[in-house]
Amino acid sequence: MSKVVAVAALVVVLGLVNWSIIEKEKHLAHGDIVYLELAPVDPRSLMQGDYMALNFRVAQQIYDALPKSDNYRGWNRNADAGDGFVVVKLDAESRADFVRIYTGGVLDKNEIKLQYRVRNGAVKFATNAFFFQEGHAQSYEAARYGQFRVNANGEVLLAGMFDKDLKHIIGE
């Protein structure tokens, strides 16, 4: 009897994991494209081994617009924890510019809302790192934009890194 329950639980867990993977793949394939400009994290440690630490200019603008906590955690790290949406305006090439923190209402033409999270006092989008194959760090030094795929709920997934001319960077 316990083996049947264990196998049934395993089937349910594997089914949920696979369903989540399929949903993320659909999101990457069909989500709206938005480019967020990278902001330097720390020039001395921007490239560390097999990943690049990420921060985005719009994250700093969100941080500046949010109320601050009395709980100081360091430079740019005292925003109150929570989730929210930011409204950005897209140019003809889908590059995003900060407009405002979303508080409801109708969006104007060329505006889209993106989900963000505040954790440990800092604003984050989907991820704070981009991992790549070992030995390809030099290829990613030209990265200036992160391409995100955005679904109808404003959820974002990082799809790739792009240079200043929005040319896709592929590690070599």
Side-chain angles (χ1 to χ4, degrees):
M1 179 68 177
S2 64
K3 286 183 180 180
V4 172
V5 172
V7 170
L10 179 64
V11 168
V12 169
V13 169
L14 290 175
L16 290 172
V17 168
N18 282 312
W19 178 78
S20 176
I21 292 169
I22 291 168
E23 289 299 312
K24 297 289 185 196
E25 289 295 330
K26 284 182 186 175
H27 186 160
L28 284 172
H30 304 293
D32 293 334
I33 294 173
V34 173
Y35 295 97
L36 296 182
E37 186 177 352
L38 294 170
V41 174
D42 180 347
R44 292 171 295 163
S45 64
L46 183 61
M47 306 296 288
Q48 296 179 344
D50 304 328
Y51 77 97
M52 176 175 14
L54 298 177
N55 191 15
F56 298 94
R57 186 172 57 91
V58 72
Q60 180 62 46
Q61 294 167 317
I62 294 167
Y63 177 83
D64 292 343
L66 290 174
K68 304 302 180 287
S69 166
D70 292 333
N71 186 9
Y72 181 76
R73 298 180 192 99
W75 184 74
N76 275 355
R77 297 186 66 86
N78 64 335
D80 290 327
D83 297 347
F85 290 93
V86 61
V87 177
V88 296
K89 186 169 190 161
L90 303 180
D91 69 9
E93 296 178 295
S94 296
R95 287 183 292 217
D97 279 322
F98 176 84
V99 176
R100 66 186 177 278
I101 301 295
Y102 182 73
T103 57
V106 179
L107 301 177
D108 289 338
K109 183 179 178 187
N110 295 334
E111 288 183 345
I112 188 170
K113 65 179 184 178
L114 307 176
Q115 184 179 34
Y116 67 87
R117 293 183 164 84
V118 177
R119 300 292 185 267
N120 296 320
V123 177
K124 300 179 187 237
F125 283 97
T127 183
N128 61 356
F130 180 77
F131 293 86
F132 48 83
Q133 187 174 348
E134 187 173 331
H136 292 190
Q138 191 170 9
S139 298
Y140 291 99
E141 289 177 357
R144 295 296 175 266
Y145 292 92
Q147 183 194 64
F148 285 86
R149 291 291 188 143
V150 183
N151 68 13
N153 297 326
E155 297 168 338
V156 296
L157 287 176
L158 181 62
M161 302 307 292
F162 288 72
D163 71 8
K164 65 179 176 58
D165 299 319
L166 300 181
K167 181 180 171 199
H168 189 201
I169 298 173
I170 299 172
E172 296 177 9

